[in-house]
Amino acid sequence: MATLLGAIADDFTGATDLAGLLARSGVPVSLRIGVPDIPPEDAAPFEVIALKCRTSPVQEAVTECRTALKWLQAAGARRFFWKYCSTFDSTPEGNIGPVAEALMADLGANQTIYCPAFPENGRAIFMGYLFVGRQPLAESPMKDHPLTPMQDSNLMRLLAPQVTRPVGLADRLTVARGAAVLQDRLRQLAKEGVAHVVVDAVADVDLEVIAEACRDMPLMTGGSAVAMPLPQLWMRDGTLKAPGARPARPKLDPGAIILSGSCSAMTRAQVAAYAQRAPAFRLEPLSLAETGIGEALNWLSAQPPEAAPLLYATAEPDAVRAAQDVLGRARAGAVVEEALAAIAVAARDMGKRRFVVAGGESSGAVTQALGVTRLDIGAEIAPGVPWTYCESGGAQLALALKSGNFGAESFFADALSCLEEQ
Ligand code: ADP
């Protein structure tokens, strides 16, 4: 069938997060790594294109997203979703706003919504302010993110410098009154010329109202969770057929590895917990820049085959700043990403078949290096983190791509045991 919803994600973990939530409905979801260079012949009802453009130069991100839009249109999609991080990771230049405006222009849309809320993971929006758990965004650990430090919590203020047209708010009091009232509010704002509407949501019921009110917009934007009700809404009105049984997980050879390039507070706790029970190797940006990954590879090949070793660049904010002071922010990030990517390829060639990767940019680097073009979505390990299956270098692999802040402290061990249970 033709694609119903075409989604573009600004990073790889964001794409698997969205694909995983859509797949909860049982409807087939296909995730493409980058814009496919083949025409969409076997398109699924939900197609997600994973890009790695969260921190690319604005024009590059816009061009890439427009190309993705064209491919999704060719797959038959008439509704589109622009997926970014539930912590609104961006800078005053972009890329959330500029990409949304470019997609709106291509689709002839005069308005879109912005809803990064993800209540199951503690992301809520109230009066346009984004909260991470009980903390406003700018007081949360996101204030120290290595690439996109978030130092304001107000989504309208964060978005305004990124777009050319007016920004407004549909607040929780409106959302709480249901889809029809929210639609009225959006129409009213459209009359006033407001093109970009931040929409409050603090709980899953709010997301259902928002999805119902906005399902016919050519473009919705947000975190993954606001898209989650769409499959059910389309099944209810007959647009989408109820799904058959989910395919079983493919046969996998043993061998696992954990790679972590995220420095988020949750990943730091996950790395500390896992390092207590498995062999762990710390990657230092400065020595990587000087001498490369040789030492890490020697260490890896010395580990027993049944171990699921951890290699991590994950560090405290002070250590990240120290590396950035010497190498610069972009170079420090790139050195780590290149190292994780090269280690992943070497690990695959050593026979590892199960990969857990922490960090959005880090996952992007690893997946690209493994030459993966398409992922099938499997079981959900934690909200927003499914196992995915793919082919790389002639081998069948399982990848779990975890956004920095997702998962419990025991996530790495959880992921490996979840795969065994499939
Ligand atoms: P998250 O999902 O937590 O945002 P990402 O992988 O997207 O994680 O971003 C983390 C960035 O920080 C990556 O570019 C990574 O290369 C970089 N990084 C990781 N460890 C270090 C470190 N020790 N010093 C400097 N930068 C680092």
Side-chain angles (χ1 to χ4, degrees):
M1 72 175 286
T3 297
L4 267 183
L5 182 76
I8 303 168
D10 71 350
D11 83 341
F12 288 36
T13 50
T16 53
D17 165 13
L18 174 62
L21 295 193
L22 291 169
R24 277 186 187 175
S25 65
V27 173
V29 181
S30 159
L31 199 166
R32 318 279 176 157
I33 303 295
V35 184
D37 47 19
I38 46 163
E41 267 158 20
D42 54 347
F46 293 92
E47 284 283 345
V48 181
I49 295 185
L51 300 179
K52 188 175 181 303
C53 64
R54 181 167 297 169
T55 53
S56 328
V58 176
Q59 264 324 307
E60 223 173 279
V62 164
T63 305
E64 233 188 326
C65 290
R66 285 188 136 141
T67 311
L69 179 72
K70 282 210 185 78
W71 190 91
L72 293 166
Q73 285 174 314
R78 295 293 171 265
R79 305 273 174 271
F80 301 89
F81 193 87
W82 166 224
K83 156 74 178 75
Y84 39 80
C85 188
S86 63
T87 43
F88 212 70
D89 300 14
S90 54
T91 67
E93 288 74 46
N95 291 336
I96 295 175
V99 167
E101 273 194 338
L103 298 179
M104 286 167 79
D106 288 358
L107 293 168
N110 66 354
Q111 191 180 60
T112 189
I113 61 152
Y114 295 79
C115 185
F118 193 161
E120 274 182 83
N121 276 326
R123 313 288 191 273
I125 311 165
F126 186 67
M127 297 299 160
Y129 285 78
L130 181 58
F131 290 82
V132 177
R134 292 181 172 184
Q135 290 174 311
L137 176 65
E139 292 170 34
S140 78
M142 281 306 295
K143 69 182 190 310
D144 298 314
H145 190 276
L147 304 177
T148 49
M150 300 307 291
Q151 288 166 355
D152 193 346
S153 307
N154 182 295
L155 292 174
M156 284 87 76
R157 275 200 305 260
L158 287 167
L159 185 58
Q162 300 184 31
V163 291
T164 59
R165 295 174 62 198
V167 177
L169 172 69
D171 71 23
R172 173 87 209 304
L173 304 178
T174 303
V175 174
R177 290 166 66 201
V181 176
L182 176 56
Q183 281 174 335
D184 284 347
R185 171 75 181 145
L186 292 171
R187 270 193 292 270
Q188 180 58 38
L189 286 166
K191 265 195 222 143
E192 294 164 16
V194 175
H196 306 284
V197 186
V198 172
V199 185
D200 277 356
V202 299
D204 281 348
V205 288
D206 299 330
L207 298 177
E208 282 174 24
V209 169
I210 297 165
E212 194 179 338
C214 301
R215 58 196 278 199
D216 289 327
M217 279 185 160
L219 178 71
M220 287 170 70
T221 88
S224 53
V226 72
M228 188 169 52
L230 292 171
Q232 297 296 347
L233 286 168
W234 283 323
M235 274 191 256
R236 221 176 292 154
D237 71 9
T239 311
L240 192 62
K241 271 209 310 273
R246 192 194 288 272
R249 109 156 142 71
K251 201 176 144 19
L252 286 170
D253 291 329
I257 185 167
I258 321 282
L259 298 169
S260 179
S262 158
C263 296
S264 76
M266 185 40 88
T267 305
R268 296 201 304 268
Q270 290 161 342
V271 164
Y274 191 75
Q276 306 259 322
R277 50 179 287 168
F281 184 94
R282 180 167 186 168
L283 300 162
E284 301 277 359
L286 296 182
S287 52
L288 289 174
E290 265 171 39
T291 55
I293 59 167
E295 197 194 335
L297 291 183
N298 288 340
W299 177 85
L300 181 60
S301 52
Q303 301 310 308
E306 69 285 1
L310 162 69
L311 292 102
Y312 65 99
T314 305
E316 299 293 319
D318 284 350
V320 171
R321 266 191 295 273
Q324 291 177 336
D325 285 346
V326 179
L327 298 170
R329 176 182 290 186
R331 175 96 186 104
V335 162
V336 169
E337 289 177 35
E338 283 159 20
L340 292 172
I343 293 168
V345 172
R348 180 201 61 197
D349 296 343
M350 285 177 198
K352 300 287 186 194
R353 294 293 178 260
R354 298 135 203 258
F355 289 72
V356 182
V357 189
E361 296 296 318
S362 309
S363 294
V366 165
T367 317
Q368 278 173 338
L370 289 172
V372 172
T373 56
R374 184 175 183 166
L375 297 170
D376 293 322
I377 305 302
E380 204 173 6
I381 306 157
V385 202
W387 271 108
T388 67
Y389 308 113
C390 62
E391 258 186 48
S392 165
Q396 179 76 49
L397 302 188
L399 303 183
L401 308 178
K402 185 195 83 78
S403 156
N405 289 303
F406 285 4
E409 227 172 85
S410 54
F411 178 82
F412 297 143
D414 295 348
L416 297 176
S417 51
C418 166
L419 196 57
E420 293 317 315
E421 285 158 18
Q422 297 307 301

